[in-house]
Amino acid sequence: MSLGAILEYHGETNFSQEFQFPLYGNNGTDHLVEIAHAISLYLIPTICLLGIVGNVCSFFVFTLSTFRFLPCSLYLAALAISDTGFLAALFMAWLTSLMPWVAMAPGLCLTMVYITYVCSFLSAWYVVLMMVERFVVVCHPLKAPRYVTKKRSRMAVGVVTAFALVLYVHSFLSTYVNVTVYGPSCSAREQYMKFNAIFTYIDSLVTFVVPFTAILILNIRIILTVRNFRLKHHPLHMYCMHQSEPGVLTQAQVRSTKMLVLVSSIFVVLYLPSHAMRMYLLVRVLFRNDHWMHDHTTVLAQQICQFPYFINFAVDFLVYSITSKNFRKNGVKLFRRMCDDD
């Protein structure tokens, strides 16, 4: 989950402790705390650095190679940008855990919270937009030429991006850097505590519940449609007879659909632990009024569940490379062309 979400839970984010797990617990959890602490210390920067490199490479492939002619390339390029933004903010948060004085840089704390909020929202909704487009192509191929266009894709990306930028601007007003004896912390302003509590539920709805449900339903429909299509058509016959017919799926479309379904499915799987824990805690606070942050085991579980969520922002390049021969081919061509230019 984003730093903003963490802030909403705890009331403040102490940079010296955020990615260094608190060394408490009983005999049954001490070893888990130590493992989690080590994972946090070394895995976070590894995820961030490798993920940023992979996302930048993906962005170049989607914008500078023949991949750019596909309508879905715009969503994939936008996804690479939002994932990179999240990882950059996450890396800065990790860095400030080692050097707390960095958090005193003017606006850094507020900017990191805002960026993670916005990028988390955008990553989820870019995947939704991508799968809506794929749903039209696969399930309603006759309508695809009308609705699946570059112009509509740019419009959809623009609207969603603008909405996210406005939706989370409150973070600049509702948080501030609070300097204590334990170091600087990004804290929620007391007068905004009630607003932050309400907004936590809104954020959970728009970044998890709605996107998760939409992606799950769209993926099931797409998978069933492709399965039925393959049962009705011999691959060779399909390729020879339907390659040029309008309104009929082609082999290339089926292959790209497999890649996109896998990307969105991995997104759902990696999002689930963190947001499921978040929903559990929100329901627990709502109905039981628990101060769950004092439950050491729950805090540890919540922090561990963040790791798959962080990995989600770094894994797409690997997924593209494994599942798409076209992506690999375009990536190699682009790399060679850049080397030749040098």
Side-chain angles (χ1 to χ4, degrees):
M1 62 189 68
S2 67
L3 299 179
I6 295 170
L7 178 64
E8 289 167 353
Y9 288 147
H10 294 276
E12 67 177 9
T13 299
N14 191 300
F15 289 105
S16 63
Q17 298 175 358
E18 181 58 39
F19 295 104
Q20 299 180 25
F21 289 79
L23 297 180
Y24 50 61
N26 52 42
N27 293 334
T29 60
D30 281 344
H31 66 289
L32 293 177
V33 172
E34 294 174 0
I35 293 173
H37 176 84
I39 292 175
S40 176
L41 185 61
Y42 298 108
L43 185 59
I44 293 295
T46 302
I47 292 173
C48 293
L49 295 177
L50 291 180
I52 289 173
V53 172
N55 289 332
V56 170
C57 292
S58 298
F59 176 79
F60 286 147
V61 172
F62 296 137
T63 57
L64 299 179
S65 72
T66 57
F67 233 111
R68 68 183 184 275
F69 298 115
L70 300 177
C72 66
S73 65
L74 181 61
Y75 298 125
L76 292 171
L79 180 62
I81 294 174
S82 63
D83 286 355
T84 300
F86 184 94
L87 292 175
L90 178 63
F91 182 78
M92 286 302 301
W94 174 85
L95 187 63
T96 55
S97 72
L98 302 180
M99 298 179 290
W101 55 268
V102 175
M104 297 302 297
L108 179 63
C109 163
L110 308 184
T111 301
M112 285 193 299
V113 171
Y114 179 72
I115 289 176
T116 56
Y117 259 138
V118 170
C119 291
S120 178
F121 176 93
L122 290 179
S123 292
W125 280 96
Y126 288 155
V127 175
V128 172
L129 293 177
M130 183 174 65
M131 298 317 297
V132 168
E133 179 191 89
R134 191 50 37 176
F135 171 78
V136 174
V137 170
V138 173
C139 300
H140 303 281
L142 291 174
K143 297 180 180 179
R146 178 182 177 184
Y147 292 105
V148 180
T149 64
K150 279 286 189 179
K151 182 179 179 180
R152 289 182 181 272
S153 298
R154 285 192 292 266
M155 185 180 301
V157 169
V159 170
V160 169
T161 302
F163 180 79
L165 293 175
V166 174
L167 179 64
Y168 295 106
V169 74
H170 74 86
S171 61
F172 288 105
L173 302 175
S174 59
T175 57
Y176 73 107
V177 177
N178 181 28
V179 181
T180 67
V181 294
Y182 301 104
S185 60
C186 194
S187 304
R189 295 185 185 276
E190 188 173 351
Q191 61 267 38
Y192 286 94
M193 290 298 290
K194 188 173 183 179
F195 169 82
N196 283 338
I198 296 173
F199 191 82
T200 301
Y201 294 93
I202 298 174
D203 182 63
S204 298
L205 184 68
V206 299
T207 62
F208 174 63
V209 177
V210 176
F212 181 91
T213 304
I215 292 170
L216 189 62
I217 294 174
L218 290 170
N219 276 3
I220 292 174
R221 287 292 307 275
I222 291 170
I223 290 171
L224 292 177
T225 302
V226 172
R227 178 178 177 275
N228 292 335
F229 178 81
R230 285 187 161 176
L231 290 175
K232 294 178 181 178
H233 298 80
H234 186 276
L236 181 60
H237 176 72
M238 175 185 67
Y239 183 82
C240 295
M241 297 300 294
H242 302 302
Q243 184 72 9
S244 60
E245 292 184 19
V248 179
L249 284 177
T250 66
Q251 281 282 50
Q253 289 174 331
V254 172
R255 286 195 297 268
S256 62
T257 297
K258 286 174 57 180
M259 183 190 78
L260 297 179
V261 167
L262 185 58
V263 168
S264 60
S265 298
I266 291 175
F267 170 88
V268 166
V269 170
L270 294 178
Y271 251 53
L272 187 58
S274 176
H275 281 85
M277 175 62 72
R278 183 181 186 184
M279 294 302 298
Y280 163 74
L281 295 175
L282 290 175
V283 171
R284 180 171 164 179
V285 171
L286 180 64
F287 291 102
R288 297 174 55 185
N289 198 27
D290 281 351
H291 297 289
W292 61 267
M293 62 285 296
H294 300 304
D295 183 344
H296 296 167
T297 302
T298 302
V299 172
L300 178 61
Q302 180 257 328
Q303 300 240 31
I304 292 176
C305 287
Q306 291 177 21
F307 290 124
Y309 178 74
F310 295 154
I311 291 172
N312 171 72
F313 294 91
V315 76
D316 284 345
F317 177 79
L318 181 61
V319 177
Y320 302 147
S321 300
I322 293 175
T323 60
S324 175
K325 181 180 179 180
N326 192 26
F327 179 86
R328 295 194 300 270
K329 182 173 66 176
N330 279 279
V332 171
K333 285 183 178 179
L334 182 61
F335 177 76
R336 289 176 177 173
R337 191 173 70 192
M338 294 175 65
C339 291
D340 292 339
D341 292 341
D342 292 340

